[in-house]
Amino acid sequence: MIEVQDLTKYYGSRLAVDGVSFQVDEGEIVGLLGPNGAGKTTLIRMLTCFMPATSGRATVNGFDVFSQSLQVRQSVGYMPESVPLYEDMRVEEYLRFRGEIKGLGGDALRRRMGDAIERCQLSDRRRQIIATLSKGYRQRVGLAESLLGDPKVLILDEPTIGLDPGQIREARRLIQHLGERHTVLLSSHILHEVEQVCSRIVMISGGKLVADGPLSELRTGIGGQGTTLLEAAGDDAEGLKRAIGGLHGVKSVSAEKAEGDYTAFRIESQGEADVRQAVGELAVRRGWRVRELHTQRPTLEEFFIRKTAEQNLRGRAN
């Protein structure tokens, strides 16, 4: 549904997007992730034909963003970071106005408005003046407007920015629901939101693509199964530490005093090894009382910080 090949954008002499390539398949919810200033909004504006690229190629729903910009705009529902709303209009008046701009009218417009209002849970606000709406409801109005043309592709730029935790949770559920009927490209710098909503991540930093893949693969790329934590009570902690270190798949072990009689062991695995069962069985055989045994898996935050740091170092080197 979205294909990007070597897309580049200069603002004068400043390089904002540097040869980015990726693909979004039909039915996916893909997160475009990056720190502030990474080039996310610039990339989205090129894909939605709000600004031209300097070079490269991109298609949305099979239409070229350079030569078929009108068809691209007709097939995309776009919600910018700051939703432009006419605050003196009522919700349904605004949606009717926007629908008419999109070329809708009569029964078709009424059906599309009704569907958008229902899907964005605005039924009890349809007669309310937009200026009196909360930030969360204004975001819903912007999202409803993007749905009026029944687009195959939705492109959402920071859709949860400025919302409180309850509103963010509602927006997350709504986006997941929209993913059942639309292909979604979601821009954000909030790691937790991307993890909750998206199945795949396209990560950019300094205008460059630094990662692209399913969340599970990105976490694995940080390194193995992660860290296994054991809390147990018993005699000869140093002896148990050495025994754990001798288990197959264990890279290193450290131990420190925990509360009471308990000792906390931190066990690093080699590669993909999952050592939890072997560690638990060893502790029980040696008569230790196990209170806790679990794995701390690599997080998207760790991956994000590492990748952006690597890109920053390369940028300074160049």
Side-chain angles (χ1 to χ4, degrees):
M1 298 299 286
I2 300 175
E3 293 187 11
V4 178
Q5 296 177 3
D6 297 320
L7 209 59
T8 299
K9 178 64 178 180
Y10 278 92
Y11 292 111
S13 61
R14 184 174 72 86
L15 182 59
V17 175
D18 187 3
V20 170
S21 300
F22 65 92
Q23 180 174 320
V24 180
D25 294 328
E26 185 174 0
E28 283 191 300
I29 303 179
V30 174
L32 180 61
L33 181 65
N36 290 326
K40 302 186 301 296
T41 295
T42 296
L43 182 57
I44 280 178
R45 287 177 177 171
M46 290 188 287
L47 291 177
T48 53
C49 303
F50 273 72
M51 66 170 59
T54 302
S55 63
R57 180 176 179 272
T59 61
V60 179
N61 197 26
F63 299 113
D64 187 275
V65 299
F66 290 93
S67 61
Q68 298 173 297
S69 63
L70 180 59
Q71 291 92 327
V72 170
R73 296 180 194 208
Q74 290 173 336
S75 65
V76 168
Y78 171 45
M79 189 176 82
E81 179 178 344
S82 298
V83 181
L85 301 172
Y86 293 106
E87 296 190 344
D88 58 340
M89 300 180 78
R90 301 182 189 276
V91 171
E92 64 180 7
E93 291 173 339
Y94 172 76
L95 294 177
R96 183 178 297 109
F97 169 69
R98 294 296 298 166
E100 290 171 349
I101 290 177
K102 294 174 184 285
L104 297 172
D107 291 340
L109 176 56
R110 284 190 289 272
R111 284 196 304 271
R112 296 281 180 82
M113 282 180 55
D115 181 61
I117 287 172
E118 181 180 353
R119 295 176 70 192
C120 295
Q121 300 175 359
L122 288 167
S123 297
D124 59 345
R125 297 289 191 275
R126 63 189 304 152
R127 295 292 299 162
Q128 189 166 335
I129 295 174
I130 291 175
T132 66
L133 294 174
S134 68
K135 172 70 172 179
Y137 274 104
R138 292 186 189 203
Q139 292 290 89
R140 291 191 195 185
V141 173
L143 192 54
E145 189 274 330
S146 72
L147 294 172
L148 286 175
D150 194 24
K152 293 185 177 181
V153 178
L154 284 175
I155 298 181
L156 313 177
D157 193 3
E158 301 279 4
T160 61
I161 193 167
L163 303 185
D164 65 38
Q167 293 169 337
I168 289 174
R169 181 176 297 179
E170 292 175 1
R172 183 193 308 156
R173 285 198 295 263
L174 177 56
I175 293 168
Q176 289 172 327
H177 176 67
L178 293 175
E180 297 172 3
R181 286 175 49 180
H182 307 270
T183 299
V184 181
L185 179 63
L186 165 69
S187 163
S188 181
H189 66 278
I190 303 174
L191 301 170
H192 180 66
E193 292 309 309
V194 172
E195 284 187 292
Q196 293 295 314
V197 175
C198 304
S199 59
R200 195 173 123 241
I201 298 297
V202 173
M203 188 181 296
I204 63 174
S205 179
K208 284 183 172 289
L209 180 74
V210 295
D212 180 3
L215 285 170
S216 57
E217 291 183 8
L218 296 185
R219 291 194 185 98
T220 301
I222 301 171
Q225 290 285 334
T227 301
T228 298
L229 301 179
L230 168 70
E231 274 197 23
D235 298 326
D236 190 14
E238 192 61 34
L240 181 58
K241 175 184 172 183
R242 288 194 300 270
I244 293 173
L247 292 174
H248 176 73
V250 172
K251 181 179 180 181
S252 63
V253 186
S254 61
E256 61 182 30
K257 184 71 173 175
E259 62 180 26
D261 297 332
Y262 285 86
T263 301
F265 298 89
R266 187 178 184 88
I267 306 153
E268 303 294 337
S269 302
Q270 296 175 348
E272 298 296 317
D274 185 348
V275 300
R276 287 174 295 178
Q277 181 174 341
V279 168
E281 291 174 348
L282 174 63
V284 170
R285 284 200 305 271
R286 287 181 166 250
W288 281 62
R289 302 189 310 277
V290 176
R291 179 168 67 181
E292 184 174 351
L293 176 61
H294 72 276
T295 296
Q296 284 185 337
R297 301 196 181 279
T299 65
L300 182 59
E301 181 177 9
E302 292 172 308
F303 184 81
F304 177 78
I305 292 171
R306 192 184 78 181
K307 284 295 184 180
T308 52
E310 290 173 355
Q311 181 57 35
N312 288 338
L313 286 174
R314 282 196 291 268
R316 286 196 292 268
N318 293 333

